[in-house]
């Protein structure tokens, strides 16, 4: 991770060690600044580090950024992430706790959770965002910048990887000046195929896979010294097949049913469905950036258009009640977004001490889903439109002290509809909502010397409450409060320092933060409720949501040390403890004591526990995040010359995760402490023109069950007594060996 260091290095050494400082420029505050000058925590991972550590998937950025957890769901449309002690699951339909940006424009997170190539830099900004950058996000923002063409020289690269587990990744790019010094074009592409998560089904002989093909064209135009335009078009086509992994329930819950089905451990990487989850998706992203500098001012425009089409087929016979035949849910998704932002800011300080930024932001997205759930046809429609005005003012009191504050006024509108297609019945009539929140931020920093800065900041954030769909019966008081969720508000406070020591060979950055949530949007585990159908009352299961009070406290430490020209080491540590205190959530409460339990649930027990309501409610005090409270990342590298034209190197990537209770509502999926070690050994050109490396990912072959369900796999609520009880399970990726060859030329 390139989040801290103080030494100046040769370019190839910076890329290899993932450590630098003076030469790393970030845009955390929408302007180019040295990383150590920004009074907030920013983790920057350069494109060179991505190549050196052979990071091929976006979610693998979590291996170099402690406290960050990223995962894409097997459905192809879901994401799960954690940062600063808060977990977000896109299935909850609330806005994310972390917003994503590509080339400065808002982008839907799922579109990034695919193969990566030709990346310039990724920045992870921690803490509330939104006063200066797009949409409000309480936990942070992640920005991705793609490489641009050189206006003067031809350049490019070819990068190929092959592994012993059938993985093939080939990506390349070439940039060409069209009008030297004024117009240039860069073309990049990728071919990526692998066995996804290696989970196979005992009832299906085919193997899982994920195949991606993509390309990107970037046009750079600079007709004069004060006008710059960058236009990027990106296309990606992906097909995927995957099987839901399971484990015999008796492993975690002695006494569970054991039938004729095979005994399976999570380590076996096996499923039991006859069919696989299949995904066929295409995405297109058009992005434009325009800058005009005039009279000491700067006018910026950033806009994007996104088109995403996905066809997902998911097996529904999870208990294999009907061997040899698969029941399916087929979903066709059409997703479109449009964003526009105009900013006016000072390019030169006003009155020699004042910087300002003002602007307007407009974001619109529409999604439709055609759902065929085992013959039941449902259409859904969602539209979101967000418009905001923002401003930020920074006063420089001398050369060493800075006071900054910003505000953003948001107008958020949404519209939702759900229709039972076959009968033309509106399960959810057209519903519109509107909110007009205001968020703010303020900070102060003081530099006691060129090598030591302290800062303090505070900020607020906001998320719109989701409209929870799926319960189609008259609402009771409990159903109403667990389905109609109000917006969430939060406030955060942070202090920290950034320092360089030992003749700029050591960098140490430390921060501490506290965050309060008013009405945190919580999505719970599936619970039973009383449904009303044509034949009367029946038990159904649903993932309800709730507004709960929550707090997070945390500490983050970044250290980089270069004791010699041949060895360097960076270490990063993140601790965040989030807690819900006395939050009212929907629950299964078989004995009516107000505490969630796993006892048998009946219509009578629900009514008894809830006073006649359709769903029980419990007061809980529990963890806020599924991620570990803390994690540690180490990235050492040693390099030495072999000849005048060849250098040798060995580098490592070590991540440590402590014991983790995981899902606070699931007593059976606690994860024991584990570590992951990647090792890279190879040779390279001293000028970084080529590199050949052998690598091992999960070198120690660490084996851990990462998630485990607490309920047996069922088909429409019915288990398979003959086949036996299984629970969902995921496992660490197996050890993988590979070779990487990279060649770069010209401006690269």
């Amino acid at each position: 991770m390139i989040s801290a260091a103080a030494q100046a290095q040769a370019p190839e050494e910076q890329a290899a060690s993932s450590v630098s400082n003076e030469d790393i420029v970030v845009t955390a505050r929408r302007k180019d600044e040295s990383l150590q000058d920004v009074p907030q925590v920013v983790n920057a991972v350069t494109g060179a580090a991505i190549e050196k550590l052979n990071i091929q998937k976006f979610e693998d950025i979590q291996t170099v950024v402690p406290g960050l957890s990223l995962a894409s769901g097997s459905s192809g449309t879901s994401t799960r992430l954690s940062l600063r002690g808060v977990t977000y699951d896109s299935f909850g339909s609330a806005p994310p706790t972390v917003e994503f940006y590509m080339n400065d424009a808002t982008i839907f997170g799922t579109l990034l959770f695919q193969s990566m190539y030709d990346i310039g830099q990724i920045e992870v900004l921690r803490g509330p965002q939104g006063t200066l950058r797009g949409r409000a996000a309480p936990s942070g923002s992640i920005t991705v910048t793609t490489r641009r063409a050189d206006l003067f020289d031809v350049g490019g690269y070819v990068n190929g990887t092959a592994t012993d587990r059938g993985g093939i990744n080939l990506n390349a790019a070439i940039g060409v000046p069209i009008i030297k010094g004024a117009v240039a074009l860069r073309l990049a592409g990728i071919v990526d195929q692998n066995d996804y998560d290696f989970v196979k089904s005992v009832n299906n002989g085919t193997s899982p896979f994920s195949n991606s093909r993509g390309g990107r064209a970037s046009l750079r135009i600079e007709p004069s010294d004060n006008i710059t335009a960058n236009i990027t078009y990106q296309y990606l086509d992906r097909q995927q097949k995957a099987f839901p992994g399971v484990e015999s329930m008796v492993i975690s819950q002695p006494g569970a049913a054991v039938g004729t089905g095979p005994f399976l451990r999570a380590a076996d990487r096996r499923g039991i469905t006859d069919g696989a989850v299949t995904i066929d998706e295409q995405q297109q992203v058009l992005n434009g950036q325009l800058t005009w500098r005039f009279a000491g001012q700067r006018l910026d425009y950033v806009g994007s258009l996104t088109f995403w089409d996905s066809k997902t087929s998911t097996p529904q016979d999870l208990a294999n009640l009907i061997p040899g035949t698969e029941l399916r849910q087929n979903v066709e998704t059409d997703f479109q977004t449009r964003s526009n932002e105009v900013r006016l800011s000072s390019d030169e300080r006003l009155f020699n001490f004042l910087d300002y930024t003002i602007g307007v932001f407009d974001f619109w997205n529409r999604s439709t889903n055609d759902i065929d759930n085992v013959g039941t046809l449902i259409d859904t429609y969602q539209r979101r439109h967000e418009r905001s005005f923002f401003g930020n003012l920074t006063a420089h009191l001398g050369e060493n002290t800075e006071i900054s504050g910003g505000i953003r006024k948001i107008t958020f509108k949404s519209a939702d509809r759900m229709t039972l297609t076959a009968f033309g019945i509106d399960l959810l009539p057209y519903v519109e909502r509107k909110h007009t929140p205001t968020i703010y931020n303020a900070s102060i920093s003081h530099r006691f010397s060129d090598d030591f800065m302290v800062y303090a900041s505070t900020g607020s954030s906001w998320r719109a409450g989701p409209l929870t769909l799926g319960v189609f019966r008259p609402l009771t008081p409990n159903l109403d409060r667990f389905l109609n969720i109000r917006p969430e508000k939060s406030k955060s406070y942070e202090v920290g320092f950034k320092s360089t020591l030992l003749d700029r060979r050591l960098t140490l950055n430390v921060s501490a933060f506290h965050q309060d949530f008013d009405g945190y949007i919580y999505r719970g585990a599936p619970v039973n409720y009383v449904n009303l159908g044509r034949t009367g009352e029946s038990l159904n299961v649903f993932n309800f949501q709730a507004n709960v009070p929550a707090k997070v406290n945390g500490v983050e430490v970044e250290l980089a040390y270069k004791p010699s020209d041949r060895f360097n080491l960076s270490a990063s540590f993140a601790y965040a403890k989030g807690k819900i205190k006395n939050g009212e959530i929907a629950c299964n409460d078989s004995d009516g004591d107000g505490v969630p339990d796993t006892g048998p649930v009946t219509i009578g027990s629900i009514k008894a526990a809830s006073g006649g309501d359709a769903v029980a409610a419990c007061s809980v005090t529990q963890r806020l995040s599924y991620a570990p409270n803390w994690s540690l990342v180490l990235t050492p590298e040693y390099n030495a010359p072999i000849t005048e034209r060849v250098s040798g190197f060995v580098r490592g990537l070590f991540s440590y995760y402590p014991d983790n209770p995981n899902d606070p509502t699931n007593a059976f999926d606690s994860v024991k402490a584990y570590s992951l070690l990647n090792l890279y050994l190879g040779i390279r050109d001293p000028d970084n023109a080529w590199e050949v490396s052998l690598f091992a990912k999960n070198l120690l072959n660490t084996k851990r069950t990462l998630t485990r369900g607490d309920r047996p796999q069922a088909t429409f609520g019915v288990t398979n007594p003959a086949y036996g009880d299984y629970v969902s399970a995921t496992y660490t990726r197996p050890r993988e060996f590979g070779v990487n060859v990279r060649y770069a030329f010209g401006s690269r």
Side-chain angles (χ1 to χ4, degrees), residues 540-552:
N540 268 24
V541 177
F542 191 72
N543 290 88
F544 291 97
Q545 303 193 72
N547 290 115
V548 297
K551 295 183 178 181
V552 184

mmCIF file with all atom_site columns, all heavy atoms in Angstrom, residues 540-552:
data_model
loop_
_atom_site.group_PDB
_atom_site.id
_atom_site.type_symbol
_atom_site.label_atom_id
_atom_site.label_alt_id
_atom_site.label_comp_id
_atom_site.label_asym_id
_atom_site.label_entity_id
_atom_site.label_seq_id
_atom_site.pdbx_PDB_ins_code
_atom_site.Cartn_x
_atom_site.Cartn_y
_atom_site.Cartn_z
_atom_site.occupancy
_atom_site.B_iso_or_equiv
_atom_site.pdbx_formal_charge
_atom_site.auth_seq_id
_atom_site.auth_comp_id
_atom_site.auth_asym_id
_atom_site.auth_atom_id
_atom_site.pdbx_PDB_model_num
ATOM 1   N N   . ASN A 1 540 ? -43.768 -16.791 6.412  1.00 0.00 ? 540 ASN A N   1
ATOM 2   C CA  . ASN A 1 540 ? -42.826 -16.423 5.363  1.00 0.00 ? 540 ASN A CA  1
ATOM 3   C C   . ASN A 1 540 ? -41.541 -15.916 5.996  1.00 0.00 ? 540 ASN A C   1
ATOM 4   O O   . ASN A 1 540 ? -41.495 -15.623 7.196  1.00 0.00 ? 540 ASN A O   1
ATOM 5   C CB  . ASN A 1 540 ? -43.407 -15.355 4.437  1.00 0.00 ? 540 ASN A CB  1
ATOM 6   C CG  . ASN A 1 540 ? -44.113 -15.960 3.241  1.00 0.00 ? 540 ASN A CG  1
ATOM 7   O OD1 . ASN A 1 540 ? -44.554 -17.098 3.290  1.00 0.00 ? 540 ASN A OD1 1
ATOM 8   N ND2 . ASN A 1 540 ? -44.227 -15.197 2.164  1.00 0.00 ? 540 ASN A ND2 1
ATOM 9   N N   . VAL A 1 541 ? -40.505 -15.805 5.182  1.00 0.00 ? 541 VAL A N   1
ATOM 10  C CA  . VAL A 1 541 ? -39.202 -15.331 5.653  1.00 0.00 ? 541 VAL A CA  1
ATOM 11  C C   . VAL A 1 541 ? -38.799 -14.099 4.859  1.00 0.00 ? 541 VAL A C   1
ATOM 12  O O   . VAL A 1 541 ? -39.007 -14.036 3.640  1.00 0.00 ? 541 VAL A O   1
ATOM 13  C CB  . VAL A 1 541 ? -38.128 -16.434 5.498  1.00 0.00 ? 541 VAL A CB  1
ATOM 14  C CG1 . VAL A 1 541 ? -36.758 -15.917 5.918  1.00 0.00 ? 541 VAL A CG1 1
ATOM 15  C CG2 . VAL A 1 541 ? -38.498 -17.655 6.330  1.00 0.00 ? 541 VAL A CG2 1
ATOM 16  N N   . PHE A 1 542 ? -38.191 -13.104 5.546  1.00 0.00 ? 542 PHE A N   1
ATOM 17  C CA  . PHE A 1 542 ? -37.796 -11.873 4.864  1.00 0.00 ? 542 PHE A CA  1
ATOM 18  C C   . PHE A 1 542 ? -36.640 -11.218 5.605  1.00 0.00 ? 542 PHE A C   1
ATOM 19  O O   . PHE A 1 542 ? -36.522 -11.338 6.828  1.00 0.00 ? 542 PHE A O   1
ATOM 20  C CB  . PHE A 1 542 ? -38.985 -10.905 4.786  1.00 0.00 ? 542 PHE A CB  1
ATOM 21  C CG  . PHE A 1 542 ? -38.761 -9.727  3.870  1.00 0.00 ? 542 PHE A CG  1
ATOM 22  C CD1 . PHE A 1 542 ? -38.759 -9.913  2.495  1.00 0.00 ? 542 PHE A CD1 1
ATOM 23  C CD2 . PHE A 1 542 ? -38.543 -8.457  4.371  1.00 0.00 ? 542 PHE A CD2 1
ATOM 24  C CE1 . PHE A 1 542 ? -38.550 -8.846  1.638  1.00 0.00 ? 542 PHE A CE1 1
ATOM 25  C CE2 . PHE A 1 542 ? -38.329 -7.380  3.522  1.00 0.00 ? 542 PHE A CE2 1
ATOM 26  C CZ  . PHE A 1 542 ? -38.341 -7.580  2.154  1.00 0.00 ? 542 PHE A CZ  1
ATOM 27  N N   . ASN A 1 543 ? -35.780 -10.527 4.849  1.00 0.00 ? 543 ASN A N   1
ATOM 28  C CA  . ASN A 1 543 ? -34.705 -9.714  5.436  1.00 0.00 ? 543 ASN A CA  1
ATOM 29  C C   . ASN A 1 543 ? -35.233 -8.309  5.692  1.00 0.00 ? 543 ASN A C   1
ATOM 30  O O   . ASN A 1 543 ? -35.243 -7.460  4.798  1.00 0.00 ? 543 ASN A O   1
ATOM 31  C CB  . ASN A 1 543 ? -33.502 -9.627  4.497  1.00 0.00 ? 543 ASN A CB  1
ATOM 32  C CG  . ASN A 1 543 ? -32.760 -10.924 4.367  1.00 0.00 ? 543 ASN A CG  1
ATOM 33  O OD1 . ASN A 1 543 ? -33.100 -11.744 3.528  1.00 0.00 ? 543 ASN A OD1 1
ATOM 34  N ND2 . ASN A 1 543 ? -31.750 -11.117 5.199  1.00 0.00 ? 543 ASN A ND2 1
ATOM 35  N N   . PHE A 1 544 ? -35.681 -8.044  6.900  1.00 0.00 ? 544 PHE A N   1
ATOM 36  C CA  . PHE A 1 544 ? -36.182 -6.719  7.245  1.00 0.00 ? 544 PHE A CA  1
ATOM 37  C C   . PHE A 1 544 ? -35.020 -5.773  7.531  1.00 0.00 ? 544 PHE A C   1
ATOM 38  O O   . PHE A 1 544 ? -33.890 -6.195  7.778  1.00 0.00 ? 544 PHE A O   1
ATOM 39  C CB  . PHE A 1 544 ? -37.106 -6.799  8.460  1.00 0.00 ? 544 PHE A CB  1
ATOM 40  C CG  . PHE A 1 544 ? -38.404 -7.499  8.193  1.00 0.00 ? 544 PHE A CG  1
ATOM 41  C CD1 . PHE A 1 544 ? -38.557 -8.842  8.512  1.00 0.00 ? 544 PHE A CD1 1
ATOM 42  C CD2 . PHE A 1 544 ? -39.465 -6.827  7.620  1.00 0.00 ? 544 PHE A CD2 1
ATOM 43  C CE1 . PHE A 1 544 ? -39.753 -9.495  8.272  1.00 0.00 ? 544 PHE A CE1 1
ATOM 44  C CE2 . PHE A 1 544 ? -40.667 -7.471  7.369  1.00 0.00 ? 544 PHE A CE2 1
ATOM 45  C CZ  . PHE A 1 544 ? -40.816 -8.813  7.696  1.00 0.00 ? 544 PHE A CZ  1
ATOM 46  N N   . GLN A 1 545 ? -35.325 -4.478  7.518  1.00 0.00 ? 545 GLN A N   1
ATOM 47  C CA  . GLN A 1 545 ? -34.340 -3.471  7.858  1.00 0.00 ? 545 GLN A CA  1
ATOM 48  C C   . GLN A 1 545 ? -34.844 -2.652  9.041  1.00 0.00 ? 545 GLN A C   1
ATOM 49  O O   . GLN A 1 545 ? -35.994 -2.792  9.457  1.00 0.00 ? 545 GLN A O   1
ATOM 50  C CB  . GLN A 1 545 ? -34.035 -2.587  6.646  1.00 0.00 ? 545 GLN A CB  1
ATOM 51  C CG  . GLN A 1 545 ? -33.560 -3.394  5.444  1.00 0.00 ? 545 GLN A CG  1
ATOM 52  C CD  . GLN A 1 545 ? -32.967 -2.551  4.347  1.00 0.00 ? 545 GLN A CD  1
ATOM 53  O OE1 . GLN A 1 545 ? -31.877 -2.025  4.470  1.00 0.00 ? 545 GLN A OE1 1
ATOM 54  N NE2 . GLN A 1 545 ? -33.693 -2.455  3.236  1.00 0.00 ? 545 GLN A NE2 1
ATOM 55  N N   . ALA A 1 546 ? -33.982 -1.800  9.578  1.00 0.00 ? 546 ALA A N   1
ATOM 56  C CA  . ALA A 1 546 ? -34.365 -1.012  10.746 1.00 0.00 ? 546 ALA A CA  1
ATOM 57  C C   . ALA A 1 546 ? -33.441 0.189   10.881 1.00 0.00 ? 546 ALA A C   1
ATOM 58  O O   . ALA A 1 546 ? -32.319 0.185   10.370 1.00 0.00 ? 546 ALA A O   1
ATOM 59  C CB  . ALA A 1 546 ? -34.310 -1.866  12.013 1.00 0.00 ? 546 ALA A CB  1
ATOM 60  N N   . ASN A 1 547 ? -33.923 1.213   11.563 1.00 0.00 ? 547 ASN A N   1
ATOM 61  C CA  . ASN A 1 547 ? -33.083 2.344   11.970 1.00 0.00 ? 547 ASN A CA  1
ATOM 62  C C   . ASN A 1 547 ? -32.647 2.112   13.404 1.00 0.00 ? 547 ASN A C   1
ATOM 63  O O   . ASN A 1 547 ? -33.489 1.958   14.298 1.00 0.00 ? 547 ASN A O   1
ATOM 64  C CB  . ASN A 1 547 ? -33.851 3.659   11.884 1.00 0.00 ? 547 ASN A CB  1
ATOM 65  C CG  . ASN A 1 547 ? -34.136 4.086   10.461 1.00 0.00 ? 547 ASN A CG  1
ATOM 66  O OD1 . ASN A 1 547 ? -35.285 4.151   10.040 1.00 0.00 ? 547 ASN A OD1 1
ATOM 67  N ND2 . ASN A 1 547 ? -33.096 4.391   9.701  1.00 0.00 ? 547 ASN A ND2 1
ATOM 68  N N   . VAL A 1 548 ? -31.340 2.070   13.639 1.00 0.00 ? 548 VAL A N   1
ATOM 69  C CA  . VAL A 1 548 ? -30.818 1.784   14.976 1.00 0.00 ? 548 VAL A CA  1
ATOM 70  C C   . VAL A 1 548 ? -29.726 2.790   15.328 1.00 0.00 ? 548 VAL A C   1
ATOM 71  O O   . VAL A 1 548 ? -29.033 3.310   14.447 1.00 0.00 ? 548 VAL A O   1
ATOM 72  C CB  . VAL A 1 548 ? -30.257 0.348   15.058 1.00 0.00 ? 548 VAL A CB  1
ATOM 73  C CG1 . VAL A 1 548 ? -31.355 -0.675  14.819 1.00 0.00 ? 548 VAL A CG1 1
ATOM 74  C CG2 . VAL A 1 548 ? -29.118 0.151   14.068 1.00 0.00 ? 548 VAL A CG2 1
ATOM 75  N N   . PRO A 1 549 ? -29.536 3.077   16.627 1.00 0.00 ? 549 PRO A N   1
ATOM 76  C CA  . PRO A 1 549 ? -28.415 3.931   17.040 1.00 0.00 ? 549 PRO A CA  1
ATOM 77  C C   . PRO A 1 549 ? -27.109 3.153   16.980 1.00 0.00 ? 549 PRO A C   1
ATOM 78  O O   . PRO A 1 549 ? -27.079 1.960   17.295 1.00 0.00 ? 549 PRO A O   1
ATOM 79  C CB  . PRO A 1 549 ? -28.780 4.317   18.477 1.00 0.00 ? 549 PRO A CB  1
ATOM 80  C CG  . PRO A 1 549 ? -29.629 3.177   18.959 1.00 0.00 ? 549 PRO A CG  1
ATOM 81  C CD  . PRO A 1 549 ? -30.395 2.678   17.752 1.00 0.00 ? 549 PRO A CD  1
ATOM 82  N N   . ALA A 1 550 ? -26.029 3.801   16.574 1.00 0.00 ? 550 ALA A N   1
ATOM 83  C CA  . ALA A 1 550 ? -24.747 3.103   16.449 1.00 0.00 ? 550 ALA A CA  1
ATOM 84  C C   . ALA A 1 550 ? -23.593 4.073   16.653 1.00 0.00 ? 550 ALA A C   1
ATOM 85  O O   . ALA A 1 550 ? -23.728 5.288   16.412 1.00 0.00 ? 550 ALA A O   1
ATOM 86  C CB  . ALA A 1 550 ? -24.634 2.430   15.085 1.00 0.00 ? 550 ALA A CB  1
ATOM 87  N N   . LYS A 1 551 ? -22.468 3.527   17.086 1.00 0.00 ? 551 LYS A N   1
ATOM 88  C CA  . LYS A 1 551 ? -21.242 4.298   17.273 1.00 0.00 ? 551 LYS A CA  1
ATOM 89  C C   . LYS A 1 551 ? -20.053 3.489   16.787 1.00 0.00 ? 551 LYS A C   1
ATOM 90  O O   . LYS A 1 551 ? -20.053 2.262   16.848 1.00 0.00 ? 551 LYS A O   1
ATOM 91  C CB  . LYS A 1 551 ? -21.040 4.670   18.749 1.00 0.00 ? 551 LYS A CB  1
ATOM 92  C CG  . LYS A 1 551 ? -22.086 5.605   19.314 1.00 0.00 ? 551 LYS A CG  1
ATOM 93  C CD  . LYS A 1 551 ? -21.769 5.974   20.753 1.00 0.00 ? 551 LYS A CD  1
ATOM 94  C CE  . LYS A 1 551 ? -22.806 6.948   21.298 1.00 0.00 ? 551 LYS A CE  1
ATOM 95  N NZ  . LYS A 1 551 ? -22.514 7.351   22.702 1.00 0.00 ? 551 LYS A NZ  1
ATOM 96  N N   . VAL A 1 552 ? -19.018 4.209   16.317 1.00 0.00 ? 552 VAL A N   1
ATOM 97  C CA  . VAL A 1 552 ? -17.776 3.568   15.883 1.00 0.00 ? 552 VAL A CA  1
ATOM 98  C C   . VAL A 1 552 ? -16.603 4.356   16.453 1.00 0.00 ? 552 VAL A C   1
ATOM 99  O O   . VAL A 1 552 ? -16.590 5.595   16.396 1.00 0.00 ? 552 VAL A O   1
ATOM 100 C CB  . VAL A 1 552 ? -17.650 3.521   14.347 1.00 0.00 ? 552 VAL A CB  1
ATOM 101 C CG1 . VAL A 1 552 ? -16.394 2.750   13.955 1.00 0.00 ? 552 VAL A CG1 1
ATOM 102 C CG2 . VAL A 1 552 ? -18.872 2.892   13.712 1.00 0.00 ? 552 VAL A CG2 1
#
